[in-house]
Amino acid sequence: MGWEFWKKELDEEELVENVGFEGHSSRRASTNGIGPTHLVDPLEEPVPGLGTYEDFNTIDWVREKSKDRDRHREITNKSRESTVALLHRISDAFSGWLLMLLVGLMAGALAGGIDIAAHWMTDLKGGVCLVGFWFNHEHCCWTYNETFQERDRCPQWKSWAELITGTSEGAFPYIMDYLMYIFWALLFSFLAVTLVRAFAPYACGSGIPEIKTILSGFIIRGYLGKWTLIIKTITLVLAVSSGLSLGKEGPLVHVACCCANILCHLFTKYRKNEAKRREVLSAAAAVGVSVAFGAPIGGVLFSLEEVSYYFPLKTLWRSFFAALVAAFTLRSINPFGNSRLVLFYVEFHAPWHLVELAPFILLGIFGGLWGALFIKANIAWCRIRKTTRLGHYPIMEVLVVAALTALVSYPNSYTRMSGSELISELFNDCSLLDSSQLCGYEQPANMSETGAGNSLADRPAGPELYTALWQLALALIFKMMITVITFGMKVPSGLFIPSMAVGAIAGRLLGVGMEQLAYYNHDSILFRGWCSAGADCITPGLYAMVGAAACLGGVTRMTVSLVVIMFELTGGLEYIVPLMAATMTSKWVADAFGREGIYEAHIRLNGYPFLEAKEEIDHNSLAVDVMTPRRGDPALTVLTQEGMTVGEVESLIESTRFSGFPVVLSQESQRLVGFVLRRDLLISIDNARKRQDGIVSASQVVFTEHLPPLSPEAPPPLPLRGIMDLSPFTVTDHTPIDITVDIFRKLGLRQCLVTHNGKLLGIITKKDVLKHMAQIANRDPDSILFN
């Protein structure tokens, strides 16, 4: 998601100022006796809005976990008092599993609908079914009983040229079909980008970089809202159907997380606690991959490896349950019409041989090089889009790219078909009945019809296969180029399918080459002993599968989850070793050019406040070198625990843009007492002025446990100890920066105070850490837009 849409609502400089310092609140000592969201005032009632967060702010993980522990402890204690309270405790414990059930059902149903609609609208570009316009090509010809070769030309399905001109042969009908293909592609892409721009700017892109940032604790209001869900679901179908080089699998993670966020509002436990909600969103990311590929186990591992920031064991179990429910729901809908859950089912009969590890590793090298090249090229293009006038015309950009894609795609049958259809074709293992060009082999006269088992023996390539190889080579070049400029446009766009398509094409080309090499040289030292004449030695479809995994791994840097997704996706369990070899090679090669995957690169491009766990720090700086204020700067703005009036505090808040203030014993001693959030201060003072008698600008603000003695004429004080964090995280000035960064990563801190012998020196915010890491990596530190 680009910054352009956000810029309309919030000025960039003002936004950066508004989130200058992050507050860190409320992990209280048990002796305090005051709840985390209660103001210590005569009314002793919760203050509305206290403990909540503003948009584009970071949550306080420690405070949220502390709130949940207090809530759970209260429910447990009450459950011993009455049966109703006991039932409430049971329902509270069960609510997480119920929520997971609902998320799985909702995401599975939406994914099934998206699959069916996308398949129908993609076929609509080629023609229409006469017996029912709502049938796609496959379902329209389902009952046609002619030969397999003629099945795709059943009388119930008419191309647009046949409907308009009455014939499908000749140059004019071809041009008519060509023009209709371009027309539908432009119409679908125009509707997609217009709906996104008009109703839900957050619905564009993949969504995974933003999901990762949200799961790390950042707040982006509306990104997982109902409008985003509705528009993303509709425009995802339109974008995929337009023929653009994108997939629906990545955006399905965003769709599933939107479902989870909306359903969280049904349960108080998740509605009022941001950390608990992020546990649900982690499980929803697993659900998204589960319904995208029909890979529930791979989905759980994807969430754990690639997306989640905080993934406790309980979330692992719930993710598995939700992914299972979603997969079952999708299987019940049966969107592919083949009674199978997986997107590409393959059935290879020939085992792979040790010698083939060399070409598999070669595919891994190709995948790593392509991944590194793609990331650099795509980020460079996206930066041009953000910094030039191109970014001001998103509708025109989408229409131009859609027109270009349709214009070049139509003449080539392999670029004309959808991404998932292409990959399925490339994964296919040729059989006797296959009419595909990729199975255009010659049959030697002295050779039996079949090889070992149910598979065909290796055969020499025929003219049809050579034609298919030329078309695939052109498709490979086109896909590599067009995907660079397509990913990141203002329409929902996934990267899984385009990346896999590039790898599958390269793999199929290499597989056919290896097959012909084995056929003509089966007596050479390489093939002797395991590949005899008339045997089925090489499976080109397997090379396509390995190539797809290698390219996807090079782009995303996924490893374990990718291998599991691939064998769940294809059913090829015995080919785990080739997949592992190619995936690891691709990651090593791509990491040699840069450790960032495509999602991390887009996070950095958009300036999201994300602390990447993979990034290592080999710098000798200390906490004192990173904190604010630096040496020679004015002293840090602080509050004293007593002695300041309401008017002085309000004046201080008004004159600064910090998100929180340290509380010290006095201006002279600077001994640290606690930390208080700007938002909590404003809400508490405003509430006190409205609801408490006598609170005026001259009233003293007190952060101590006992009220100080006041003269009878003085107005009543305003006690605010209840909103202060009594145990803020602190480090000493000599703490190494790598330790400080680790503390921020593992505890999810918003800020950390720096002390020397108990005396407050400064503050390190998450933004300070991100800026320092950017400087170390020779990047622009001002590119971090938010805290």
Side-chain angles (χ1 to χ4, degrees), residues 9 42 111 128 133 236 245 259 305 308 337 365 395 409 421 435 473 520 569 575 591 621 632 652:
E9 298 176 359
V128 69
F133 75 91
L236 182 53
S245 183
C259 295
E305 178 184 3
S308 295
I365 293 170
I395 295 176
S409 293
E421 218 180 329
S435 59
Y520 288 110
L569 188 62
Y575 302 108
D591 280 351
S621 51
L652 186 68

mmCIF file of all heavy atoms in Angstrom, residues 9 42 111 128 133 236 245 259 305 308 337 365 395 409 421 435 473 520 569 575 591 621 632 652:
data_model
loop_
_atom_site.group_PDB
_atom_site.id
_atom_site.type_symbol
_atom_site.label_atom_id
_atom_site.label_comp_id
_atom_site.label_asym_id
_atom_site.label_seq_id
_atom_site.Cartn_x
_atom_site.Cartn_y
_atom_site.Cartn_z
ATOM 1 N N GLU A 9 -5.115 12.398 3.600
ATOM 2 C CA GLU A 9 -5.783 12.629 4.877
ATOM 3 C C GLU A 9 -4.863 13.272 5.924
ATOM 4 O O GLU A 9 -5.308 14.005 6.783
ATOM 5 C CB GLU A 9 -6.318 11.303 5.422
ATOM 6 C CG GLU A 9 -7.352 10.680 4.508
ATOM 7 C CD GLU A 9 -7.808 9.326 5.013
ATOM 8 O OE1 GLU A 9 -7.306 8.889 6.050
ATOM 9 O OE2 GLU A 9 -8.656 8.736 4.364
ATOM 10 N N PRO A 42 -12.298 10.679 42.672
ATOM 11 C CA PRO A 42 -13.387 10.366 43.595
ATOM 12 C C PRO A 42 -14.480 9.487 42.986
ATOM 13 O O PRO A 42 -15.188 8.799 43.696
ATOM 14 C CB PRO A 42 -13.934 11.750 43.967
ATOM 15 C CG PRO A 42 -12.800 12.682 43.741
ATOM 16 C CD PRO A 42 -12.038 12.127 42.600
ATOM 17 N N ALA A 111 -13.270 -17.399 -0.134
ATOM 18 C CA ALA A 111 -12.266 -17.897 -1.084
ATOM 19 C C ALA A 111 -12.926 -18.752 -2.165
ATOM 20 O O ALA A 111 -12.574 -18.646 -3.349
ATOM 21 C CB ALA A 111 -11.199 -18.708 -0.347
ATOM 22 N N VAL A 128 -18.943 -17.180 -24.343
ATOM 23 C CA VAL A 128 -20.049 -17.284 -23.403
ATOM 24 C C VAL A 128 -20.756 -18.622 -23.605
ATOM 25 O O VAL A 128 -20.743 -19.187 -24.705
ATOM 26 C CB VAL A 128 -21.017 -16.092 -23.579
ATOM 27 C CG1 VAL A 128 -21.764 -16.183 -24.909
ATOM 28 C CG2 VAL A 128 -21.992 -15.980 -22.428
ATOM 29 N N PHE A 133 -25.307 -18.336 -19.112
ATOM 30 C CA PHE A 133 -24.136 -17.450 -19.193
ATOM 31 C C PHE A 133 -23.280 -17.506 -17.935
ATOM 32 O O PHE A 133 -22.127 -17.102 -17.946
ATOM 33 C CB PHE A 133 -24.587 -16.010 -19.474
ATOM 34 C CG PHE A 133 -25.197 -15.315 -18.286
ATOM 35 C CD1 PHE A 133 -24.415 -14.571 -17.421
ATOM 36 C CD2 PHE A 133 -26.566 -15.423 -18.016
ATOM 37 C CE1 PHE A 133 -24.969 -13.930 -16.327
ATOM 38 C CE2 PHE A 133 -27.113 -14.800 -16.920
ATOM 39 C CZ PHE A 133 -26.333 -14.048 -16.065
ATOM 40 N N LEU A 236 -10.503 -8.082 -6.347
ATOM 41 C CA LEU A 236 -9.555 -9.193 -6.532
ATOM 42 C C LEU A 236 -10.008 -10.077 -7.692
ATOM 43 O O LEU A 236 -9.205 -10.479 -8.545
ATOM 44 C CB LEU A 236 -9.457 -10.012 -5.240
ATOM 45 C CG LEU A 236 -8.481 -11.188 -5.223
ATOM 46 C CD1 LEU A 236 -7.090 -10.743 -5.640
ATOM 47 C CD2 LEU A 236 -8.437 -11.809 -3.836
ATOM 48 N N SER A 245 -0.641 -9.701 -14.822
ATOM 49 C CA SER A 245 0.299 -10.684 -14.262
ATOM 50 C C SER A 245 0.317 -10.581 -12.744
ATOM 51 O O SER A 245 1.220 -10.019 -12.134
ATOM 52 C CB SER A 245 1.704 -10.434 -14.830
ATOM 53 O OG SER A 245 2.591 -11.419 -14.358
ATOM 54 N N CYS A 259 -11.533 -10.586 7.695
ATOM 55 C CA CYS A 259 -12.594 -11.400 8.315
ATOM 56 C C CYS A 259 -12.349 -11.535 9.819
ATOM 57 O O CYS A 259 -13.262 -11.366 10.632
ATOM 58 C CB CYS A 259 -12.641 -12.793 7.680
ATOM 59 S SG CYS A 259 -13.120 -12.817 5.949
ATOM 60 N N GLU A 305 6.622 -18.531 9.935
ATOM 61 C CA GLU A 305 7.931 -18.190 9.365
ATOM 62 C C GLU A 305 7.974 -16.794 8.760
ATOM 63 O O GLU A 305 8.963 -16.079 8.907
ATOM 64 C CB GLU A 305 8.288 -19.216 8.274
ATOM 65 C CG GLU A 305 9.611 -18.935 7.586
ATOM 66 C CD GLU A 305 9.921 -19.897 6.449
ATOM 67 O OE1 GLU A 305 9.077 -20.772 6.151
ATOM 68 O OE2 GLU A 305 10.990 -19.772 5.843
ATOM 69 N N SER A 308 4.126 -13.613 11.158
ATOM 70 C CA SER A 308 3.839 -13.313 12.563
ATOM 71 C C SER A 308 5.036 -12.738 13.295
ATOM 72 O O SER A 308 6.188 -13.095 13.036
ATOM 73 C CB SER A 308 3.341 -14.564 13.279
ATOM 74 O OG SER A 308 2.112 -14.960 12.742
ATOM 75 N N GLY A 337 -14.156 -27.971 -9.081
ATOM 76 C CA GLY A 337 -14.983 -28.968 -9.743
ATOM 77 C C GLY A 337 -14.333 -30.326 -9.909
ATOM 78 O O GLY A 337 -14.800 -31.158 -10.675
ATOM 79 N N ILE A 365 19.521 -21.847 -8.473
ATOM 80 C CA ILE A 365 20.367 -20.687 -8.776
ATOM 81 C C ILE A 365 19.577 -19.683 -9.623
ATOM 82 O O ILE A 365 19.611 -18.470 -9.368
ATOM 83 C CB ILE A 365 21.656 -21.133 -9.510
ATOM 84 C CG1 ILE A 365 22.523 -21.956 -8.554
ATOM 85 C CG2 ILE A 365 22.428 -19.929 -10.038
ATOM 86 C CD1 ILE A 365 23.692 -22.659 -9.224
ATOM 87 N N ILE A 395 -5.194 5.192 -12.272
ATOM 88 C CA ILE A 395 -6.159 4.566 -13.190
ATOM 89 C C ILE A 395 -5.548 4.442 -14.577
ATOM 90 O O ILE A 395 -5.639 3.382 -15.216
ATOM 91 C CB ILE A 395 -7.473 5.389 -13.241
ATOM 92 C CG1 ILE A 395 -8.159 5.368 -11.869
ATOM 93 C CG2 ILE A 395 -8.410 4.850 -14.314
ATOM 94 C CD1 ILE A 395 -9.412 6.216 -11.781
ATOM 95 N N SER A 409 -0.337 -10.725 -24.753
ATOM 96 C CA SER A 409 -0.682 -12.057 -24.260
ATOM 97 C C SER A 409 -1.500 -12.869 -25.256
ATOM 98 O O SER A 409 -1.308 -14.080 -25.373
ATOM 99 C CB SER A 409 -1.479 -11.947 -22.954
ATOM 100 O OG SER A 409 -0.697 -11.434 -21.923
ATOM 101 N N GLU A 421 -3.842 -21.675 -14.478
ATOM 102 C CA GLU A 421 -4.045 -22.612 -15.594
ATOM 103 C C GLU A 421 -2.709 -22.936 -16.251
ATOM 104 O O GLU A 421 -2.426 -24.087 -16.601
ATOM 105 C CB GLU A 421 -4.988 -21.965 -16.618
ATOM 106 C CG GLU A 421 -5.973 -22.919 -17.256
ATOM 107 C CD GLU A 421 -6.875 -22.194 -18.247
ATOM 108 O OE1 GLU A 421 -7.152 -20.996 -18.033
ATOM 109 O OE2 GLU A 421 -7.271 -22.831 -19.224
ATOM 110 N N SER A 435 -3.766 -33.774 -25.349
ATOM 111 C CA SER A 435 -3.724 -33.062 -26.628
ATOM 112 C C SER A 435 -2.886 -31.796 -26.527
ATOM 113 O O SER A 435 -2.840 -31.004 -27.461
ATOM 114 C CB SER A 435 -5.148 -32.699 -27.064
ATOM 115 O OG SER A 435 -5.760 -31.892 -26.071
ATOM 116 N N ALA A 473 9.425 -19.882 -24.189
ATOM 117 C CA ALA A 473 10.591 -19.000 -24.023
ATOM 118 C C ALA A 473 10.164 -17.533 -24.127
ATOM 119 O O ALA A 473 10.602 -16.686 -23.327
ATOM 120 C CB ALA A 473 11.640 -19.334 -25.080
ATOM 121 N N TYR A 520 18.630 -39.216 -26.210
ATOM 122 C CA TYR A 520 19.641 -39.389 -27.247
ATOM 123 C C TYR A 520 20.991 -39.857 -26.686
ATOM 124 O O TYR A 520 21.884 -40.229 -27.462
ATOM 125 C CB TYR A 520 19.835 -38.076 -28.010
ATOM 126 C CG TYR A 520 18.671 -37.741 -28.912
ATOM 127 C CD1 TYR A 520 17.820 -36.677 -28.634
ATOM 128 C CD2 TYR A 520 18.424 -38.493 -30.058
ATOM 129 C CE1 TYR A 520 16.744 -36.368 -29.455
ATOM 130 C CE2 TYR A 520 17.345 -38.193 -30.893
ATOM 131 C CZ TYR A 520 16.501 -37.135 -30.587
ATOM 132 O OH TYR A 520 15.437 -36.848 -31.403
ATOM 133 N N LEU A 569 0.407 -28.692 -2.178
ATOM 134 C CA LEU A 569 -0.219 -28.135 -3.376
ATOM 135 C C LEU A 569 -0.311 -29.158 -4.496
ATOM 136 O O LEU A 569 -1.296 -29.211 -5.229
ATOM 137 C CB LEU A 569 0.624 -26.936 -3.825
ATOM 138 C CG LEU A 569 0.133 -26.033 -4.927
ATOM 139 C CD1 LEU A 569 -1.154 -25.366 -4.518
ATOM 140 C CD2 LEU A 569 1.192 -25.003 -5.240
ATOM 141 N N TYR A 575 8.909 -35.972 -3.588
ATOM 142 C CA TYR A 575 9.846 -35.047 -4.224
ATOM 143 C C TYR A 575 10.274 -33.931 -3.283
ATOM 144 O O TYR A 575 10.625 -32.837 -3.720
ATOM 145 C CB TYR A 575 9.215 -34.471 -5.497
ATOM 146 C CG TYR A 575 8.814 -35.545 -6.475
ATOM 147 C CD1 TYR A 575 7.471 -35.848 -6.688
ATOM 148 C CD2 TYR A 575 9.769 -36.287 -7.154
ATOM 149 C CE1 TYR A 575 7.100 -36.855 -7.562
ATOM 150 C CE2 TYR A 575 9.406 -37.292 -8.039
ATOM 151 C CZ TYR A 575 8.073 -37.574 -8.238
ATOM 152 O OH TYR A 575 7.703 -38.578 -9.106
ATOM 153 N N ASP A 591 20.154 -14.256 -1.151
ATOM 154 C CA ASP A 591 20.708 -13.559 0.024
ATOM 155 C C ASP A 591 22.081 -12.955 -0.256
ATOM 156 O O ASP A 591 22.501 -12.019 0.423
ATOM 157 C CB ASP A 591 20.804 -14.522 1.216
ATOM 158 C CG ASP A 591 19.466 -14.701 1.923
ATOM 159 O OD1 ASP A 591 18.521 -13.955 1.601
ATOM 160 O OD2 ASP A 591 19.357 -15.588 2.786
ATOM 161 N N SER A 621 28.016 1.024 18.690
ATOM 162 C CA SER A 621 27.426 2.171 19.372
ATOM 163 C C SER A 621 26.687 1.736 20.634
ATOM 164 O O SER A 621 26.313 0.573 20.800
ATOM 165 C CB SER A 621 26.482 2.920 18.435
ATOM 166 O OG SER A 621 25.562 2.036 17.851
ATOM 167 N N GLY A 632 24.582 17.814 23.703
ATOM 168 C CA GLY A 632 24.499 19.195 23.245
ATOM 169 C C GLY A 632 23.088 19.653 22.946
ATOM 170 O O GLY A 632 22.851 20.846 22.740
ATOM 171 N N LEU A 652 2.416 22.342 28.513
ATOM 172 C CA LEU A 652 3.523 21.487 28.089
ATOM 173 C C LEU A 652 3.081 20.566 26.947
ATOM 174 O O LEU A 652 3.792 20.397 25.949
ATOM 175 C CB LEU A 652 4.019 20.659 29.275
ATOM 176 C CG LEU A 652 5.265 19.807 29.050
ATOM 177 C CD1 LEU A 652 6.482 20.688 28.847
ATOM 178 C CD2 LEU A 652 5.486 18.877 30.224
#
